[in-house]
Amino acid sequence: MKALIDVFFQPGKLFSSLPERRAAWVVPLLVNVILLLASTAFTINTLGMDLIMRQRLAGSSMSADQMQQAMKNGTSPAAVYITYAVILFFTPIFMLIVSGILFAFGMMTSRAPKFGSMLAMVNLAFFPYILITVLMTALVIVAAPDKTALDVTNPLATNVAALMFNFTNPPP
């Protein structure tokens, strides 16, 4: 757990100590998965799957019947649980893939790293990004005067000036 704090205050010391640490990847991976699950749950519970699905389907070329069926399927409780399962399953897989690619590049050096050290490094390096993204997403969702105007696929892509305009000039 100390490693999650050290990544902000002593990153050089932390990353250089990874080869001596055993299973240093476990806690950062679990924290990353929990943060992503919490962010997804917060977004779904605050904005609702109905709004999320409407925005996802807005640009599609489906017929009215197909769109209605997609809305029905996408807003079902099963779809919410599948969303959580995807995060739970694919976050570790993504971290493994990135670690594997970096490990392959590391094998080309004179001092090849251990895969566990590489996995710990990737998870620790992603932790600040995930933490800040989760906090900023929650802040934007909570602070937005009109939640339906948010782009749920990328709520942080909003221009700061446009966001300030929305705060000073809320919709009627």
Side-chain angles (χ1 to χ4, degrees), residues 31-157:
V31 170
N32 287 341
V33 169
I34 290 168
L35 282 171
L36 290 172
L37 282 171
S39 176
T40 303
F42 176 77
T43 302
I44 289 171
N45 289 323
T46 305
L47 299 179
M49 278 302 280
D50 194 49
L51 173 66
I52 294 169
M53 286 305 297
R54 261 191 275 122
Q55 284 191 9
R56 284 185 180 171
L57 296 173
S60 70
S61 59
M62 294 182 183
S63 69
D65 290 338
Q66 290 173 324
M67 194 165 296
Q68 187 176 23
Q69 184 62 35
M71 282 292 294
K72 182 181 172 191
N73 293 341
T75 57
S76 71
V80 174
Y81 295 128
I82 290 170
T83 301
Y84 297 144
V86 165
I87 291 168
L88 195 62
F89 183 71
F90 282 109
T91 300
I93 289 180
F94 174 76
M95 297 296 182
L96 285 168
I97 290 170
V98 172
S99 299
I101 292 168
L102 293 175
F103 180 71
F105 284 121
M107 299 275 294
M108 296 176 205
T109 64
S110 61
R111 216 172 98 198
K114 295 179 182 174
F115 184 76
S117 296
M118 191 60 68
L119 185 58
M121 188 228 19
V122 167
N123 279 287
L124 285 165
F126 267 100
F127 171 68
Y129 171 76
I130 291 172
L131 179 66
I132 291 168
T133 303
V134 166
L135 292 175
M136 291 302 296
T137 299
L139 179 67
V140 167
I141 290 172
V142 167
D146 182 15
K147 307 232 186 300
T148 59
L150 288 174
D151 178 7
V152 295
T153 58
N154 195 3
L156 298 181

